[in-house]
């Protein structure tokens, strides 16, 4: 499908600019700020979604003057912006950039921050609305929020709002997530907390809900009567990218499954919410996560697979084994790959397995949800060999080459009545053109207008952890003797193929 139409009304004309506010970024000297947050704010500025009454304060422990911070960010934006930077748009943003050097644990930092915020409110009319973005290592989350609370910076008086965005990882397991929720809940109300999962900022992830609930065509067959099984794949070609230290204590299950894959699963399988308000959507996600049949020590053995890559060739380049990456133990047992089979115990999905897999250094970068529909009840086309009767697959491709593809059978031209698999494809770029984005624009904007739909509520996060906990516990009791068990550049361990083969299924071939 390649219709070359573009939307008639520019999106910017349909939405109002964000509310006046100051964004305070903790960890402003780090990677996230320069690679994603500032480019996203620039894109919002370009789309006219930031008001004049707006400013940014960076806080970090790196000693740096305000002028130095401005010139650093000015250089960075030219490197990382997703569109060419235009001076008349960048200059007003640069003027609104402030910097505060300070330790996150010290009360004095917050007293200085308070003074600076008062000054910025006066200079730019930001009305005392503050959005605190914790772009720091997770061990600072609690300290920063406690200090913000002690300094009175998160109190919402006189119609002013105060919100906090918390990056991942949110906890390390169920207990630590609960403890963190409890500690921050002592300072903030739930409506002030925005737990970010950057997968929810991806257009195509948001489109899952539009696709399912904005079309009459698919929802009637979106259930156990018609669907055989669902596959969710998040395959990466990158390795740990210099984050060996972090990854060693994390692994694929915590890094990707508990958050990103479960978000994809919830969007694919949840019931229609009664409205698109934040709580209605998040209620449905929680209900879905609660319906997952908990794995036991026995089913962890049969229904999960972990893997770690050895050296190999990815995209024509020789890459080292995980155990040879910097700051990784030479006998590491951390998994760089995880696959699991989950069953959902509700009326819609009983008996329909969901197979999830994610891994680093795989053959190809692809994130997709593939839904296999049931076969026809009786085989009429006898001249067609069984392997040509490809089942109907609907694939929602999240990245790259975002789109939706439907595979179905068609008659091969000629006198014989034979069938082959053909594909009908919709590609985002063909239809809407390429819209350069970092994936953080919508998330930042939503936070500035107080819409938490795309952010995780405390119960969503805890439920995610409660599903992976039995796996983490079971894996911790046995050492994976066969690591490394897949070659970089392959599709992962053979055992992950077996997970489907023994059910008479296979991963959707690319
Ligand atoms: C992050 C993980 O949350 O997501 C990384 O910590 C991973 O390990 C990244 O590489 C993948 O995100 P994306 O958007 O590139 O699919």
């Amino acid at each position: 499908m390649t219709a070359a139409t573009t939307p008639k009304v520019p999106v910017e004309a349909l939405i109002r600019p964000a509310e006046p506010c100051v964004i305070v970024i903790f960890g402003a000297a780090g990677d996230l700020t320069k690679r994603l947050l500032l480019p996203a704010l620039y894109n919002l500025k370009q789309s006219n979604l930031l008001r004049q009454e707006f400013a940014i304060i960076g806080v970090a422990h790196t000693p740096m003057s305000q002028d130095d911070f401005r010139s650093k960010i000015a250089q960075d934006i030219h490197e990382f912006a997703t569109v060419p930077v235009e001076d008349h748009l960048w200059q007003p943003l640069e003027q609104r950039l402030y910097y505060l050097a300070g330790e996150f644990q010290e009360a004095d930092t917050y007293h200085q921050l308070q003074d600076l915020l008062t000054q910025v409110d006066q200079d730019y009319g930001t009305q005392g609305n503050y959005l605190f973005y914790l772009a720091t290592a997770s061990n600072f989350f609690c300290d920063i929020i406690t200090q913000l609370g002690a300094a009175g910076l998160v109190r919402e008086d006189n119609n002013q709002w105060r919100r906090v965005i918390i990056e991942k990882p949110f906890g390390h397991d169920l207990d630590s997530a609960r403890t963190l929720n409890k500690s921050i809940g002592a300072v903030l109300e739930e409506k002030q907390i925005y737990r970010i999962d950057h997968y929810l900022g991806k257009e195509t992830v948001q489109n899952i809900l539009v696709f399912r609930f904005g079309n009459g065509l698919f929802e009637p067959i979106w259930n156990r009567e018609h669907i055989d099984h669902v596959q969710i794949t998040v395959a990466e070609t990158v390795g740990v990218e210099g984050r060996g230290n972090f990854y060693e204590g994390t692994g694929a299950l915590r890094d990707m499954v508990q958050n990103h894959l479960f978000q994809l699963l919830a969007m694919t399988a949840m019931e229609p919410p009664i409205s698109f308000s934040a709580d209605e959507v998040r209620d449905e996600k929680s209900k879905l996560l609660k319906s997952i049949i908990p794995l036991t020590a026995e089913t962890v053995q049969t229904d999960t697979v972990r893997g770690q890559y050895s050296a190999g060739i990815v995209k024509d380049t020789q890459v080292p084994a995980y155990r040879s990456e910097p700051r990784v133990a030479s006998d590491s047992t951390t998994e760089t790959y995880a696959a699991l089979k989950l069953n959902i115990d509700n009326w819609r999905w009983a008996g329909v397995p969901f197979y999830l897999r994610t891994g680093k250094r795989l053959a190809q970068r692809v994130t997709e949800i593939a839904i296999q529909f049931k076969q026809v009840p009786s085989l009429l086309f006898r001249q067609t060999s069984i392997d040509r009767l490809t089942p109907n697959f609907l694939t929602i491709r999240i990245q790259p080459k975002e789109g939706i593809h439907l595979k179905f059978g068609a008659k091969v031209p000629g006198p014989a009545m034979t069938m082959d698999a053909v594909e009908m494809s919709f590609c985002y770029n063909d239809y809407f053109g390429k819209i350069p984005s970092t994936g953080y624009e919508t998330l930042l904007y939503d936070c500035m207008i107080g819409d938490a739909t795309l952010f995780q509520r405390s119960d969503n996060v805890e439920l995610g952890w409660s599903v992976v906990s039995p796996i983490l516990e079971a894996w911790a009791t046995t050492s994976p003797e066969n690591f490394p068990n897949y070659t970089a550049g392959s599709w992962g361990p053979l055992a992950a193929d077996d997970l489907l083969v023994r059910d008479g299924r296979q991963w959707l071939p690319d």
Side-chain angles (χ1 to χ4, degrees):
M1 202 187 301
T2 52
T5 35
T6 44
K8 292 202 176 47
V9 186
V11 175
E12 302 86 66
L14 299 174
I15 46 178
R16 60 192 157 104
E19 291 165 20
C21 66
V22 185
I23 294 195
V24 180
I25 305 175
F26 288 90
D31 253 26
L32 185 72
T33 305
K34 69 176 180 194
R35 285 177 191 276
L36 296 164
L37 300 184
L38 262 301
L41 289 168
Y42 179 80
N43 288 346
L44 288 175
K45 173 81 186 157
Q46 193 191 40
S47 308
N48 262 327
L49 293 174
L50 294 182
R51 289 181 188 264
Q52 298 293 326
E53 297 84 16
F54 173 77
I56 304 162
I57 299 179
V59 185
H61 23 236
T62 317
M64 202 179 345
S65 71
Q66 188 145 292
D67 286 345
D68 289 347
F69 181 64
R70 284 186 182 171
S71 9
K72 171 188 158 5
I73 297 284
Q75 270 178 22
D76 294 340
I77 195 78
H78 284 94
E79 189 177 347
F80 296 108
T82 59
V83 289
V85 178
E86 293 176 63
D87 224 40
H88 72 281
L89 293 172
W90 173 246
Q91 279 312 319
L93 265 186
E94 192 180 314
Q95 267 170 25
R96 288 165 169 73
L97 269 177
Y98 294 80
Y99 185 71
L100 176 67
E103 295 302 325
F104 300 145
Q105 293 101 326
E106 285 176 13
D108 186 48
T109 306
Y110 299 82
H111 296 144
Q112 291 185 49
L113 179 59
Q114 194 159 30
D115 293 343
L116 187 53
L117 281 163
T118 309
Q119 182 203 321
V120 173
D121 276 340
Q122 278 163 9
D123 290 351
Y124 286 108
T126 37
Q127 300 182 12
N129 296 329
Y130 307 147
L131 171 53
F132 300 100
Y133 197 122
L134 310 195
T136 65
S138 55
N139 54 319
F140 290 117
F141 294 167
C142 208
D143 286 339
I144 295 173
I145 291 173
T146 308
Q147 292 287 357
L148 285 171
L153 283 167
V154 287
R155 211 172 33 237
E156 297 189 314
D157 294 329
N158 310 321
N159 283 332
Q160 295 166 331
W161 54 255
R162 306 286 159 91
R163 298 174 189 144
V164 180
I165 300 188
I166 306 178
E167 266 294 333
K168 69 176 276 261
F170 194 93
H172 187 72
D173 54 21
L174 181 56
D175 285 347
S176 56
R178 275 189 182 141
T179 307
L180 184 55
N181 271 332
K182 210 163 160 214
S183 317
I184 65 177
V187 180
L188 299 163
E189 285 179 51
E190 181 62 34
K191 71 172 174 59
Q192 296 178 282
I193 308 171
Y194 289 68
R195 297 172 194 79
I196 210 163
D197 180 319
H198 80 277
Y199 262 60
L200 291 176
K202 295 182 192 286
E203 280 293 336
T204 32
V205 174
Q206 294 167 41
N207 187 46
I208 300 171
L209 295 187
V210 176
F211 180 75
R212 287 189 56 199
F213 305 131
N215 294 292
L217 187 57
F218 305 104
E219 206 46 28
I221 53 169
W222 211 257
N223 56 47
R224 62 193 302 275
E225 299 301 327
H226 301 278
I227 292 180
D228 177 77
H229 74 277
V230 177
Q231 302 179 9
I232 300 180
T233 298
V234 181
E236 298 189 277
T237 49
V238 292
V240 285
E241 299 184 290
R243 297 188 306 155
N245 204 18
F246 158 79
Y247 203 82
E248 274 289 84
T250 306
L253 200 61
R254 290 186 169 98
D255 189 38
M256 299 293 287
V257 176
Q258 179 273 337
N259 36 58
H260 307 326
L261 274 90
F262 281 2
Q263 285 301 323
L264 299 180
L265 170 67
M267 305 279 260
T268 308
M270 70 188 222
E271 293 301 312
I274 56 170
S275 79
F276 274 109
S277 78
D279 276 332
E280 301 299 350
V281 171
R282 298 185 299 178
D283 283 349
E284 292 306 333
K285 285 187 177 173
S286 280
K287 265 167 63 187
L288 188 278
L289 291 171
K290 266 187 227 163
S291 326
I292 295 175
I293 299 180
L295 290 167
T296 60
E298 290 72 43
T299 50
V300 169
Q301 300 309 320
T302 52
D303 292 356
T304 72
V305 174
R306 55 181 156 164
Q308 188 192 78
Y309 60 85
S310 59
I313 295 174
V314 180
K315 295 198 289 186
D316 300 328
T317 305
Q318 178 71 43
V319 299
Y322 174 69
R323 287 178 177 176
S324 308
E325 299 272 11
R327 295 189 290 163
V328 168
S330 56
D331 58 353
S332 170
T333 55
T334 300
E335 83 283 357
T336 58
Y337 179 101
L340 36 150
K341 172 180 166 183
L342 295 175
N343 289 291
I344 297 172
D345 187 16
N346 67 16
W347 277 56
R348 186 188 285 263
W349 295 117
V352 179
F354 283 71
Y355 301 96
L356 278 55
R357 63 174 167 170
T358 183
K360 295 212 177 276
R361 290 290 192 219
L362 295 180
Q364 205 180 317
R365 175 175 183 247
V366 58
T367 298
E368 68 185 16
I369 300 156
I371 290 133
Q372 185 183 320
F373 290 89
K374 289 192 167 160
Q375 294 278 27
V376 290
S378 126
L379 206 55
L380 290 179
F381 310 104
R382 301 207 182 281
Q383 279 155 308
T384 299
S385 69
I386 289 293
D387 63 337
R388 291 223 162 259
L389 275 185
T390 318
N392 297 152
F393 261 109
L394 179 80
T395 309
I396 301 177
R397 176 67 71 96
I398 308 292
Q399 61 189 17
K401 297 199 185 119
E402 295 81 355
I404 295 174
H405 309 275
L406 182 65
K407 215 178 231 184
F408 55 98
K411 180 184 171 298
V412 178
M417 190 54 146
T418 53
M419 235 178 121
D420 210 346
V422 297
E423 196 167 288
M424 208 159 73
S425 293
F426 152 70
C427 289
Y428 259 81
N429 287 353
D430 294 343
Y431 202 83
F432 295 110
K434 186 147 179 61
I435 300 168
S437 117
T438 63
Y440 276 71
E441 289 79 358
T442 311
L443 297 172
L444 285 168
Y445 172 79
D446 281 1
C447 207
M448 289 188 266
I449 61 163
D451 181 350
T453 312
L454 296 176
F455 294 83
Q456 300 214 69
R457 214 171 45 193
S458 58
D459 54 329
N460 301 150
V461 179
E462 290 182 16
L463 284 162
W465 279 119
S466 61
V467 177
V468 299
S469 277
I471 311 176
L472 290 170
E473 282 158 23
W475 283 1
T477 59
T478 53
S479 196
E481 301 298 337
N482 62 350
F483 273 14
N485 59 349
Y486 72 98
T487 312
S490 71
W491 274 107
L494 288 177
D497 293 343
D498 293 342
L499 194 64
L500 275 74
V501 169
R502 62 159 205 250
D503 293 344
R505 303 183 171 111
Q506 61 180 51
W507 292 107
L508 181 65
D510 205 73

